[in-house]
Amino acid sequence: MNRFNLNDEINIIIDELKEYRNKLHKEPELSMKEYKTTEFLYKKLKLFGVDEVIKVEKTGVIATIYGKDKKKGIALRADIDALPITEETEFLNKSIIQGVSHACGHDMHTIILLGVAKILNKYKDTLPKSIRLIFQPAEETGEGAKYMIENGCLDNITLEAILALHCWPDQPTGKIFSRSGKVCASSDKFRIVITGVQGHAAHPHKTIDPIVIAGNIICAVQTIISREISPLESNVITFGTINGGTKENIISKEVEMTGTIRSLNPDIREYIHKRLEEVVIKTAEVYRGTAKVFITKGLPPLVNDIEITEIVKNSIIEFLGEDCYEYNPDSSMGGEDFSYYLERIPGSMFRIGCGFENEKNYPLHSNKFNPNDDAIITGIKALIIPTLRLLGE
Ligand SMILES: [Zn+2]
Ligand SMILES: [Zn+2]
């Protein structure tokens, strides 16, 4: 890290980066529709002289900065998509696209990685190994990471680690937060169809009432979490919809329910899937009906590699000081598709504060969310410092 002064390098490009970020923030694009963003990134990376820049099939960019060892490297990932939310802020760079905004700060992530690319590319002749840059679409729909992996973003180079960050408005700009192990939950969907026998509401004994069965199933299913799994483990089963019946005096034929299963533990995730099916089908049988359960697997849990997370933490403390770093004690039951990369490569995802001091900061996915763009500086440092350490410096 002696070859350049990171603060000086960031100072040279920060105004340019903030301008780029304003541009992306004004013209956000939804998941798998990041056409202009892709074109913008492709042009800039080419202009910076990055060795290999590939536009992926629909949207997204894979780029490689080759160091001395062209076969080994570290991957860095940024997500580039926006959300279907109309921005309602007073910021000058407010979205001009009705109904779409960067309410999750992915414009920040994109620009941070672009800044990292510009700095590391300038010093590539001295890098011991290579850097793979992944500008991933569609994080918000959970489909982008899989799509990038299918399109070869982890290929042709042995990637020894992968890093990513997310900005966090509840925490002050300038701070970096991480945790080892379980970070985000898996996120799976289920659909249950209960079938009974239709009839007159006044003659229930001549029917099989799927609404009563549904009520029992909802209660029985909650005991999987509360009675079968250790209370020290975090898991959620939530019923999001329940539909059945057409009129107050008819016992309906069918009830359909949908919901989500969240878990921080891959083994418990499998256990819940198995038990959900058993409990639903057997409860329906007890009340003389039948039920079918359809589970669609979504994001795996996000588990940070312990060793790499330590390297991130120690290198940040060493170069930025104890005050810049905080251990994040809590996991989140939310999902994040960075988990797909971590199933293949050890890595770490961490948070950077992007809140304003003495101002109200609105949460991620809020129509009023707009992060402090000084967090771009923190983000560049938070990626470059551990990357250089992982490269063996
Ligand atoms: Zn989001
Ligand atoms: Zn996000």
Side-chain angles (χ1 to χ4, degrees):
M1 200 108 73
N2 297 327
R3 77 178 79 87
F4 61 85
N5 180 311
L6 189 51
N7 285 328
D8 290 349
E9 293 300 330
I10 294 172
N11 281 339
I12 296 168
I13 59 170
I14 190 64
D15 290 344
E16 176 191 354
L17 292 178
K18 285 186 175 181
E19 218 176 280
Y20 294 160
R21 191 238 157 191
N22 286 343
K23 179 185 151 52
L24 290 190
H25 195 84
K26 270 186 184 167
E27 297 180 62
E29 295 174 297
L30 289 173
S31 305
M32 294 317 292
K33 292 189 174 133
E34 308 91 339
Y35 305 111
K36 282 186 182 169
T37 310
T38 296
E39 200 55 42
F40 165 80
L41 288 167
Y42 179 78
K43 280 189 184 150
K44 289 296 167 205
L45 291 163
K46 280 285 201 192
L47 191 73
F48 297 165
V50 170
D51 300 304
E52 195 177 85
V53 188
I54 299 163
K55 269 192 268 183
V56 186
E57 192 195 349
K58 291 180 201 136
T59 56
V61 176
I62 303 168
T64 312
I65 298 170
Y66 286 110
K68 286 176 191 149
D69 188 337
K70 294 184 171 42
K71 287 281 160 207
K72 283 187 188 153
I74 307 293
L76 303 173
R77 172 272 210 169
D79 39 14
I80 65 172
D81 57 328
L83 282 160
I85 294 173
T86 300
E87 182 172 346
E88 288 174 42
T89 67
E90 302 305 321
F91 287 88
L92 289 171
N93 64 3
K94 183 176 166 176
S95 168
I96 56 168
I97 313 292
Q98 182 64 25
V100 185
S101 66
H102 268 296
C104 204
H106 296 184
D107 53 335
M108 293 283 287
H109 309 164
T110 307
I111 292 305
I112 287 166
L113 191 55
L114 195 65
V116 169
K118 190 161 190 185
I119 295 171
L120 291 183
N121 189 65
K122 191 170 163 186
Y123 293 96
K124 63 183 162 192
D125 294 343
T126 63
L127 294 178
K129 293 175 192 168
S130 303
I131 309 287
R132 171 65 52 82
L133 306 157
I134 302 169
F135 291 93
Q136 176 211 304
E139 190 284 321
E140 293 294 353
T141 55
E143 59 192 322
K146 250 179 155 176
Y147 154 88
M148 289 299 272
I149 293 167
E150 281 161 15
N151 277 283
C153 75
L154 306 179
D155 297 350
N156 304 327
I157 192 165
T158 304
L159 294 166
E160 295 172 334
I162 182 162
L163 301 179
L165 53 76
H166 205 296
C167 50
W168 214 254
D170 307 345
Q171 289 154 338
T173 300
K175 283 216 169 199
I176 298 156
F177 303 79
S178 75
R179 66 173 280 111
S180 276
K182 299 161 189 175
V183 176
C184 292
S186 57
S187 171
D188 306 314
K189 289 192 271 194
F190 66 82
R191 187 168 77 90
I192 294 169
V193 180
I194 304 156
T195 306
V197 173
Q198 199 170 25
H200 199 292
H203 310 293
H205 56 292
K206 294 176 187 168
T207 75
I208 296 174
D209 187 348
I211 290 182
V212 171
I213 297 173
N216 281 285
I217 284 175
I218 292 167
C219 296
V221 158
Q222 292 308 325
T223 65
I224 301 172
I225 306 292
S226 69
R227 303 292 91 179
E228 298 184 27
I229 297 167
S230 162
L232 298 175
E233 293 281 350
S234 301
N235 300 279
V236 177
I237 300 177
T238 292
F239 286 85
T241 69
I242 168 163
N243 288 294
T246 50
K247 202 170 181 302
E248 82 288 343
N249 63 353
I250 302 170
I251 285 174
S252 75
K253 185 175 162 245
E254 211 170 76
V255 169
E256 188 187 81
M257 303 191 285
T258 62
T260 183
I261 305 163
R262 306 290 169 114
S263 180
L264 290 169
N265 182 320
D267 295 337
I268 294 177
R269 178 193 192 194
E270 295 304 325
Y271 177 81
I272 293 173
H273 289 189
K274 184 172 103 12
R275 286 293 292 148
L276 178 76
E277 197 166 343
E278 284 170 6
V279 170
V280 169
I281 290 170
K282 292 204 166 131
T283 306
E285 270 173 28
V286 165
Y287 297 99
R288 300 175 298 137
T290 57
K292 285 188 177 144
V293 182
F294 307 90
I295 298 174
T296 311
K297 271 195 166 183
L299 302 175
L302 192 155
V303 183
N304 272 348
D305 183 85
I306 292 169
E307 207 179 309
I308 292 172
T309 307
E310 273 297 292
I311 292 172
V312 170
K313 175 187 155 192
N314 293 338
S315 59
I316 284 169
I317 290 175
E318 185 182 331
F319 286 92
L320 302 179
E322 295 260 1
D323 288 352
C324 280
Y325 177 84
E326 236 170 78
Y327 186 75
N328 182 14
D330 300 318
S331 307
S332 158
M333 297 312 284
E336 160 62 66
D337 76 356
F338 188 65
S339 53
Y340 284 112
Y341 303 106
L342 294 185
E343 281 190 326
R344 290 160 178 84
I345 304 172
S348 195
M349 182 168 197
F350 43 90
R351 295 174 180 177
I352 57 165
C354 64
F356 288 95
E357 233 173 283
N358 307 320
E359 270 183 54
K360 180 160 175 52
N361 291 295
Y362 291 89
L364 297 172
H365 291 209
S366 156
N367 55 353
K368 291 192 163 38
F369 173 75
N370 200 326
N372 183 344
D373 63 5
D374 281 341
I376 293 171
I377 301 169
T378 323
I380 293 175
K381 290 179 182 174
L383 286 179
I384 287 187
I385 292 168
T387 295
L388 293 179
R389 180 55 52 86
L390 286 163
L391 287 173
E393 311 212 351

